[in-house]
Amino acid sequence: MSDFKQYRRKQIAELRPYVPGEDMTDISISTPDRDRGAPEVGDMIARNPKNHADKWLVALQYFTDNFEPVE
């Protein structure tokens, strides 16, 4: 099925670098990212600004392609 549409994000994202060896118990990692060996140095941890308990891993390449700092 091909019902995908493109959307821009309206909000500010909160991310920080992954720290090697950190406890990832409460951080979601997608199956494709886990299959590629995530988490890895350079990956980022994102959190929902309205619910700081909601956290997930963002792969370095996706982060690089889609995010830039807010000044």
Side-chain angles (χ1 to χ4, degrees):
M1 188 181 323
S2 179
D3 295 333
F4 287 94
K5 295 180 182 180
Q6 292 184 337
Y7 293 88
R8 292 195 193 280
R9 295 170 189 225
K10 294 194 259 182
Q11 70 217 34
I12 302 286
E14 294 183 345
L15 297 103
R16 65 163 177 80
Y18 160 71
V19 177
E22 76 177 274
D23 181 7
M24 299 294 286
T25 303
D26 296 325
I27 300 170
S28 298
I29 303 175
S30 71
T31 299
D33 283 342
R34 205 175 285 282
D35 289 348
R36 72 163 175 80
E40 297 179 316
V41 172
D43 290 344
M44 300 291 282
I45 306 299
R47 72 176 182 184
N48 179 339
K50 295 180 181 179
N51 177 1
H52 290 177
D54 181 14
K55 297 181 231 174
W56 60 96
L57 184 104
V58 175
L60 173 61
Q61 190 60 56
Y62 185 86
F63 173 77
T64 302
D65 290 347
N66 293 285
F67 292 92
E68 60 187 25
V70 174
E71 300 300 325

